[in-house]
């Protein structure tokens, strides 16, 4: 069976509106029995059931994602605490700190920051030509 593209919510709403209009036609009597209201109604009912089930599953998925976010945050907090404990026990330049994915003190870049005004010139505009 070929996978069909899902109808947009607007298209579904229009179809439901149109079906309600079809049901209001008192003397509707199609030649082909498959197009009678009683043949179409179970399809609309099944679609409504599926849309309700989808909404429930989406709510469950959103709740699950919230729980995952909470547990992820809890894990971050615990790992930060564990890193502090490793620093307290082994020091900030220990291989144990590196074992949990943190940088050892000796691996951090050390150096002086450059002067904020650049090099040369009284006003810091050494890159502009003079003359």
């Amino acid at each position: 069976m070929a996978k069909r593209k899902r109808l947009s919510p607007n298209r579904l709403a229009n179809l439901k509106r149109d079906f309600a209009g079809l049901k209001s036609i008192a003397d509707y009597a199609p030649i082909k029995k498959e197009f009678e209201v009683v043949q179409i109604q179970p399809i609309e009912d099944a679609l409504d059931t599926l849309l309700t089930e989808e909404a429930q599953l989406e709510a469950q998925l959103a709740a699950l994602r919230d729980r995952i976010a909470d547990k992820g945050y809890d894990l971050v907090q615990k790992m930060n605490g564990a890193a502090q404990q490793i620093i307290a026990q082994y020091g900030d330049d220990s291989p144990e700190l590196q074992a949990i994915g943190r940088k050892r003190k000796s691996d951090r870049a050390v150096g002086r920051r450059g002067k904020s005004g650049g090099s040369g010139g009284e006003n810091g505009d050494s890159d502009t030509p003079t003359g």
Side-chain angles (χ1 to χ4, degrees):
M1 176 190 256
K3 184 171 174 120
R4 294 181 182 161
K5 194 172 182 180
R6 182 179 177 144
L7 298 177
S8 71
N10 286 340
R11 179 75 171 127
L12 286 174
N14 289 341
L15 286 169
K16 291 176 76 53
R17 183 199 64 223
D18 295 347
F19 182 57
L22 179 66
K23 290 192 289 187
S24 72
I25 301 173
D27 60 347
Y28 173 66
I31 296 173
K32 292 187 175 184
K33 298 297 181 189
E34 66 185 294
F35 300 112
E36 291 178 343
V37 170
V38 296
Q39 298 296 322
I40 300 171
Q41 186 66 55
I43 296 170
E44 186 193 32
D45 294 343
L47 179 62
D48 288 342
T49 300
L50 290 171
L51 290 170
T52 300
E53 184 179 339
E54 178 187 42
Q56 292 169 346
L57 289 172
E58 285 176 348
Q60 289 175 357
L61 182 59
L64 179 61
R65 287 182 174 144
D66 289 344
R67 289 175 34 215
I68 289 170
D70 288 344
K71 289 301 176 189
Y73 180 78
D74 290 346
L75 182 59
V76 166
Q77 297 293 42
K78 295 296 183 184
M79 289 305 296
N80 286 340
Q84 290 173 355
Q85 295 301 305
I86 286 177
I87 290 170
Q89 185 174 352
Y90 300 104
D92 58 1
D93 197 34
S94 66
E96 289 82 4
L97 191 61
Q98 191 174 13
I100 64 165
R102 305 293 174 100
K103 283 192 176 185
R104 295 168 61 176
K105 185 175 183 177
S106 61
D107 290 341
R108 291 189 197 125
V110 181
R112 295 185 179 177
R113 292 184 180 173
K115 295 181 182 179
S116 61
S119 59
E122 290 180 16
N123 63 2
D125 285 339
S126 63
D127 292 337
T128 57
T130 57

